[in-house]
Amino acid sequence: MSDDSSNRTDVSTIHLDNISLQNRDNVDTNSKFLGFDLSTQQLKAIVIDDKLRVCHQVCVDFDTELSEYKTRGGVYKSDDGSNTVTAPVNMWLKAMDMCFDKLKVDGLDFSTVLGISGCAQQHGSVWWRRESSLALANLNPDEYLHKELVSTFTLRDTPIWMDSSTSEECRQLEAYVGGPARLAELTGSRAYERFTGPQIAKVIKQRREVYLVTERITLISNFIASILIGSYAPLDASDASGMNMMDIRKKRWSDECLEAIVGGNKSEVAGLRARLGCLDGTHLNNNIVDTHEVVGRVSRYFIERYGFPPECLVSSFTGDNPGSMAGLCVRHDELVISLGTSDTAFFWLDEPRPNLNGHVLRNPLDDSKYMGLICFKNGSKTRERIRDVCASGDWDEFGRQLNSVPRGNFGNIGFYYDLREIYPLCKGDFRYNKDGQRVESFANNIEVRACLEGQFMRLYHHSRELGLNMANIRRILVTGGASQNQAILQVIADLFKSPVYTLESMANSASLGGAYLAKYAYELEQQMLDQSFANFPAAPSAAAVEAKTEEDGRDPFATSTAEGHDQRQADDGSVTVSTSAAAAIAAADRELIRQEKQISFSQMILGHGGSVEDDGPNEDGNGNDNDADEECREINLIKMAEPTPISSQVDVYESLLERYVRLETEIGLNNGEDPSVRSTN
């Protein structure tokens, strides 16, 4: 199927906080929406109905169910000391084949699926061989994907987020743009070894022959979307925020970063842009869309093989962290802390305030806002080590040891890095007594509290540095294995001075977020169709032409092209795509229509009706009906911990945090790390 741009819905400026679609009169309760999550070790799929109830869940585990690929933890790790970590692309394709077969066996009627979206592990890339677009458009519905596309990729084993082999490329990228702080200000993050930009730079430099025969470079997220629509899908803005390539404010590729990635040779920038799907001089000159934008309809392959309806929409696939933000339906006044193998915190930001030890992404729930993300490697495995040593492997005893020591731990502070941490860039245990002297060991109960308080102070400190204002946070949502341990959650409540909750069901939040986004994109498309009959003129409106001209600085309707995309191959092997003027006209007029009425993602998920006409005293500045939202939100929340009341005027954690920050900096300096120089993961 051709990538017909007239079928794409541009929803890039809709804000997600105003009206609910949960009580639509014309709802077909048999409608289904499919969400995927391609993580490091598994591919998960969730199907919800129009009432957002989960109907089907399937999963493919790479190591156990696809053992022929011989991965460990879903990846290949090099044994040559290069820190290279890759995964086989064909394994992901076979996992998709198995997921669809499992859904069929589970009883899913594919003809009822009206929308598909999802997410994938961030930062990884997929490299498509020349003429792969033709293979995508002509898949044989009688064959499996992993057989049809087996020879389509120039990198069969492709780098993923665990790879840390690009230290040199990171240094060069930061130097080219003026240092790590300048790169963070530009792209939302300093250079990280796992990020896509440094990975592309490495391939260009070390495997140039691969780069030259590569037609398209996608992220893993739009790789899946491309498979589903039968043509190359654009990149998602939230996921593209993790590439060290996109201007975080403009949602456009940074010329400086692209120049750095091709080694400073400006003549090669056009070739890189083409491989990213850009066509200069058109409205696809960056090929970046917002998370809730429809990128196409499901291809003929899935219609004929599984029975999907031709009108089934595929919306932009995003990264796993943005996907979880959607699955948890995170509000402006909520902070999410995920206690897993790595410890992660993410939250809304009105404006980007990048720093050297965190990430700013475009917000998947509101394209005018941002998402702050903090991640540290040493999470649950470190807690389990301390539990095993200090509490004989028993969590109940771990809790008793913890509670035998008051908050603040008598001034003792611990840093525990089983793996080389992202920041400070070191490994080992570092213990300090109340006088700031390093000591070799703590008593068991002191060790337990030092571990937890140290881990959560780092999340608090670095989140605050990234722009988190706890005065605006009403509650914390905790996910992950430790989210059921009340003693651990009490430490979070005390340190962050905020109540801590879990949701009744937080499992598979990323794939659930994909299903929610599929439903939301479908509703946006329906709204566009409903309004188009009343509002679309037969020809582009003067206002649309004027608005588009002001935005691009040119007349978008001056050039007429053939309907759909006209693909051509450049001399260097890259493929460029011409987009129809009709699509630009439709997008401009839709832009005007969208301003008349807005749809709420959060209220759709939380299950309340309403509209923008219902303005009242209970709405906030973003159009949220706080009372209705809160009532429904409370139904799904389980309060786990409240901050312990403080009897004195002095909060012990305030002084402890100050000492923590100084000690963390000293640890980095004493281990050969200059905080002004990049630290990578």
Side-chain angles (χ1 to χ4, degrees), residues 415-440:
F415 301 80
Y416 302 88
Y417 307 131
D418 293 0
L419 301 173
R420 193 170 185 239
E421 191 49 90
I422 299 171
Y423 179 82
L425 196 64
C426 60
K427 180 178 179 180
D429 294 343
F430 303 83
R431 303 175 182 86
Y432 298 87
N433 63 22
K434 65 179 181 178
D435 298 319
Q437 299 170 330
R438 186 173 178 183
V439 296
E440 289 300 317

Tab-separated table of all heavy atoms in Angstrom, residues 415-440:
chain	number	residue	atom	x	y	z
A	415	PHE	N	26.074	5.334	49.138
A	415	PHE	CA	25.949	5.286	47.689
A	415	PHE	C	26.327	3.870	47.261
A	415	PHE	O	27.424	3.400	47.565
A	415	PHE	CB	26.905	6.287	47.022
A	415	PHE	CG	26.695	7.724	47.441
A	415	PHE	CD1	27.201	8.189	48.650
A	415	PHE	CD2	26.009	8.600	46.630
A	415	PHE	CE1	27.020	9.501	49.038
A	415	PHE	CE2	25.823	9.928	47.004
A	415	PHE	CZ	26.331	10.384	48.213
A	416	TYR	N	25.440	3.196	46.545
A	416	TYR	CA	25.648	1.789	46.213
A	416	TYR	C	25.504	1.605	44.704
A	416	TYR	O	24.409	1.728	44.145
A	416	TYR	CB	24.641	0.918	46.965
A	416	TYR	CG	24.740	1.094	48.472
A	416	TYR	CD1	24.018	2.096	49.118
A	416	TYR	CD2	25.565	0.276	49.235
A	416	TYR	CE1	24.117	2.274	50.485
A	416	TYR	CE2	25.675	0.444	50.610
A	416	TYR	CZ	24.958	1.448	51.226
A	416	TYR	OH	25.060	1.624	52.593
A	417	TYR	N	26.619	1.315	44.038
A	417	TYR	CA	26.646	1.196	42.586
A	417	TYR	C	27.188	-0.175	42.208
A	417	TYR	O	28.393	-0.378	42.060
A	417	TYR	CB	27.527	2.290	41.975
A	417	TYR	CG	27.175	3.698	42.410
A	417	TYR	CD1	28.169	4.573	42.868
A	417	TYR	CD2	25.860	4.168	42.352
A	417	TYR	CE1	27.859	5.869	43.256
A	417	TYR	CE2	25.548	5.463	42.746
A	417	TYR	CZ	26.550	6.311	43.196
A	417	TYR	OH	26.235	7.589	43.580
A	418	ASP	N	26.298	-1.148	42.062
A	418	ASP	CA	26.726	-2.476	41.616
A	418	ASP	C	27.205	-2.438	40.167
A	418	ASP	O	28.135	-3.153	39.789
A	418	ASP	CB	25.570	-3.466	41.745
A	418	ASP	CG	25.204	-3.721	43.200
A	418	ASP	OD1	25.838	-3.127	44.085
A	418	ASP	OD2	24.277	-4.508	43.452
A	419	LEU	N	26.539	-1.624	39.360
A	419	LEU	CA	26.929	-1.401	37.974
A	419	LEU	C	27.490	0.010	37.851
A	419	LEU	O	27.172	0.884	38.652
A	419	LEU	CB	25.720	-1.542	37.040
A	419	LEU	CG	24.998	-2.886	37.050
A	419	LEU	CD1	23.727	-2.799	36.218
A	419	LEU	CD2	25.901	-3.997	36.535
A	420	ARG	N	28.327	0.207	36.866
A	420	ARG	CA	28.862	1.549	36.622
A	420	ARG	C	27.702	2.507	36.369
A	420	ARG	O	26.976	2.382	35.393
A	420	ARG	CB	29.805	1.508	35.424
A	420	ARG	CG	30.660	2.747	35.255
A	420	ARG	CD	31.708	2.467	34.187
A	420	ARG	NE	32.648	3.562	34.038
A	420	ARG	CZ	32.848	4.227	32.901
A	420	ARG	NH1	32.147	3.904	31.832
A	420	ARG	NH2	33.730	5.188	32.828
A	421	GLU	N	27.526	3.447	37.269
A	421	GLU	CA	26.340	4.286	37.247
A	421	GLU	C	26.432	5.352	36.161
A	421	GLU	O	27.517	5.697	35.680
A	421	GLU	CB	26.128	4.926	38.629
A	421	GLU	CG	24.791	5.631	38.834
A	421	GLU	CD	23.606	4.792	38.414
A	421	GLU	OE1	23.062	4.042	39.230
A	421	GLU	OE2	23.220	4.906	37.236
A	422	ILE	N	25.263	5.883	35.771
A	422	ILE	CA	25.201	6.951	34.783
A	422	ILE	C	25.850	8.216	35.337
A	422	ILE	O	26.626	8.887	34.660
A	422	ILE	CB	23.738	7.205	34.374
A	422	ILE	CG1	23.131	5.958	33.752
A	422	ILE	CG2	23.643	8.390	33.417
A	422	ILE	CD1	21.639	6.042	33.523
A	423	TYR	N	25.507	8.543	36.573
A	423	TYR	CA	26.155	9.661	37.265
A	423	TYR	C	26.064	9.409	38.765
A	423	TYR	O	24.989	9.112	39.264
A	423	TYR	CB	25.493	10.995	36.928
A	423	TYR	CG	26.159	12.141	37.657
A	423	TYR	CD1	27.328	12.695	37.156
A	423	TYR	CD2	25.650	12.617	38.863
A	423	TYR	CE1	27.969	13.713	37.837
A	423	TYR	CE2	26.281	13.636	39.546
A	423	TYR	CZ	27.441	14.190	39.028
A	423	TYR	OH	28.085	15.182	39.693
A	424	PRO	N	27.165	9.507	39.493
A	424	PRO	CA	28.522	9.668	38.971
A	424	PRO	C	28.978	8.395	38.246
A	424	PRO	O	28.500	7.304	38.537
A	424	PRO	CB	29.356	9.919	40.218
A	424	PRO	CG	28.586	9.280	41.323
A	424	PRO	CD	27.142	9.417	40.964
A	425	LEU	N	29.895	8.578	37.338
A	425	LEU	CA	30.317	7.491	36.458
A	425	LEU	C	31.310	6.595	37.191
A	425	LEU	O	32.512	6.628	36.941
A	425	LEU	CB	30.939	8.077	35.191
A	425	LEU	CG	31.108	7.137	33.989
A	425	LEU	CD1	29.752	6.663	33.483
A	425	LEU	CD2	31.868	7.836	32.876
A	426	CYS	N	30.795	5.802	38.124
A	426	CYS	CA	31.691	4.957	38.918
A	426	CYS	C	30.932	3.728	39.420
A	426	CYS	O	29.723	3.600	39.227
A	426	CYS	CB	32.267	5.748	40.091
A	426	CYS	SG	31.032	6.395	41.221
A	427	LYS	N	31.678	2.849	40.052
A	427	LYS	CA	31.146	1.583	40.531
A	427	LYS	C	31.698	1.330	41.921
A	427	LYS	O	32.843	1.668	42.226
A	427	LYS	CB	31.553	0.456	39.578
A	427	LYS	CG	31.061	-0.931	39.943
A	427	LYS	CD	31.496	-1.945	38.889
A	427	LYS	CE	31.043	-3.355	39.244
A	427	LYS	NZ	31.464	-4.337	38.218
A	428	GLY	N	30.866	0.727	42.802
A	428	GLY	CA	31.325	0.413	44.152
A	428	GLY	C	30.389	0.957	45.213
A	428	GLY	O	29.378	1.604	44.921
A	429	ASP	N	30.702	0.677	46.478
A	429	ASP	CA	29.938	1.170	47.614
A	429	ASP	C	30.707	2.296	48.288
A	429	ASP	O	31.926	2.188	48.507
A	429	ASP	CB	29.686	0.054	48.631
A	429	ASP	CG	28.775	-1.035	48.073
A	429	ASP	OD1	28.087	-0.780	47.059
A	429	ASP	OD2	28.764	-2.145	48.642
A	430	PHE	N	29.987	3.360	48.630
A	430	PHE	CA	30.590	4.524	49.274
A	430	PHE	C	29.739	4.883	50.489
A	430	PHE	O	28.576	5.269	50.338
A	430	PHE	CB	30.668	5.703	48.294
A	430	PHE	CG	31.424	5.411	47.033
A	430	PHE	CD1	30.807	4.769	45.961
A	430	PHE	CD2	32.765	5.760	46.902
A	430	PHE	CE1	31.501	4.488	44.795
A	430	PHE	CE2	33.473	5.483	45.745
A	430	PHE	CZ	32.838	4.844	44.690
A	431	ARG	N	30.316	4.739	51.683
A	431	ARG	CA	29.582	4.985	52.932
A	431	ARG	C	30.227	6.137	53.691
A	431	ARG	O	31.455	6.209	53.804
A	431	ARG	CB	29.574	3.721	53.800
A	431	ARG	CG	28.996	2.480	53.139
A	431	ARG	CD	29.148	1.256	54.037
A	431	ARG	NE	28.646	0.042	53.414
A	431	ARG	CZ	29.360	-0.732	52.606
A	431	ARG	NH1	30.629	-0.409	52.326
A	431	ARG	NH2	28.826	-1.830	52.099
A	432	TYR	N	29.368	7.020	54.230
A	432	TYR	CA	29.864	8.188	54.964
A	432	TYR	C	29.085	8.322	56.274
A	432	TYR	O	27.853	8.202	56.287
A	432	TYR	CB	29.698	9.460	54.123
A	432	TYR	CG	30.490	9.437	52.845
A	432	TYR	CD1	29.944	8.875	51.683
A	432	TYR	CD2	31.775	9.957	52.786
A	432	TYR	CE1	30.680	8.833	50.503
A	432	TYR	CE2	32.519	9.921	51.616
A	432	TYR	CZ	31.959	9.358	50.474
A	432	TYR	OH	32.686	9.318	49.313
A	433	ASN	N	29.817	8.590	57.355
A	433	ASN	CA	29.154	8.782	58.640
A	433	ASN	C	28.657	10.217	58.767
A	433	ASN	O	28.797	11.036	57.843
A	433	ASN	CB	30.073	8.388	59.793
A	433	ASN	CG	31.327	9.259	59.866
A	433	ASN	OD1	31.367	10.391	59.355
A	433	ASN	ND2	32.368	8.745	60.508
A	434	LYS	N	28.101	10.543	59.905
A	434	LYS	CA	27.487	11.863	60.090
A	434	LYS	C	28.504	12.991	60.005
A	434	LYS	O	28.129	14.149	59.760
A	434	LYS	CB	26.765	11.914	61.431
A	434	LYS	CG	27.683	11.785	62.643
A	434	LYS	CD	26.888	11.870	63.931
A	434	LYS	CE	27.809	11.765	65.155
A	434	LYS	NZ	27.050	11.888	66.419
A	435	ASP	N	29.788	12.684	60.201
A	435	ASP	CA	30.834	13.705	60.111
A	435	ASP	C	31.419	13.827	58.707
A	435	ASP	O	32.382	14.571	58.491
A	435	ASP	CB	31.962	13.375	61.102
A	435	ASP	CG	31.479	13.390	62.541
A	435	ASP	OD1	30.692	14.289	62.887
A	435	ASP	OD2	31.871	12.471	63.294
A	436	GLY	N	30.857	13.085	57.753
A	436	GLY	CA	31.326	13.157	56.378
A	436	GLY	C	32.550	12.315	56.099
A	436	GLY	O	33.161	12.439	55.030
A	437	GLN	N	32.931	11.447	57.045
A	437	GLN	CA	34.097	10.586	56.860
A	437	GLN	C	33.668	9.275	56.194
A	437	GLN	O	32.662	8.680	56.576
A	437	GLN	CB	34.758	10.288	58.206
A	437	GLN	CG	35.258	11.530	58.925
A	437	GLN	CD	35.678	11.229	60.358
A	437	GLN	OE1	35.131	10.329	60.996
A	437	GLN	NE2	36.652	11.967	60.847
A	438	ARG	N	34.465	8.828	55.226
A	438	ARG	CA	34.134	7.569	54.570
A	438	ARG	C	34.484	6.407	55.479
A	438	ARG	O	35.565	6.384	56.089
A	438	ARG	CB	34.887	7.443	53.242
A	438	ARG	CG	34.451	6.218	52.448
A	438	ARG	CD	35.046	6.157	51.060
A	438	ARG	NE	34.614	4.937	50.382
A	438	ARG	CZ	35.004	4.570	49.169
A	438	ARG	NH1	35.861	5.344	48.487
A	438	ARG	NH2	34.564	3.445	48.638
A	439	VAL	N	33.569	5.446	55.586
A	439	VAL	CA	33.772	4.274	56.439
A	439	VAL	C	33.594	3.017	55.603
A	439	VAL	O	32.991	3.035	54.526
A	439	VAL	CB	32.781	4.280	57.628
A	439	VAL	CG1	33.035	5.483	58.528
A	439	VAL	CG2	31.332	4.287	57.131
A	440	GLU	N	34.110	1.914	56.100
A	440	GLU	CA	34.096	0.668	55.335
A	440	GLU	C	32.783	-0.087	55.437
A	440	GLU	O	32.416	-0.830	54.517
A	440	GLU	CB	35.240	-0.242	55.809
A	440	GLU	CG	36.613	0.254	55.401
A	440	GLU	CD	36.758	0.369	53.890
A	440	GLU	OE1	36.300	-0.558	53.181
A	440	GLU	OE2	37.295	1.393	53.423
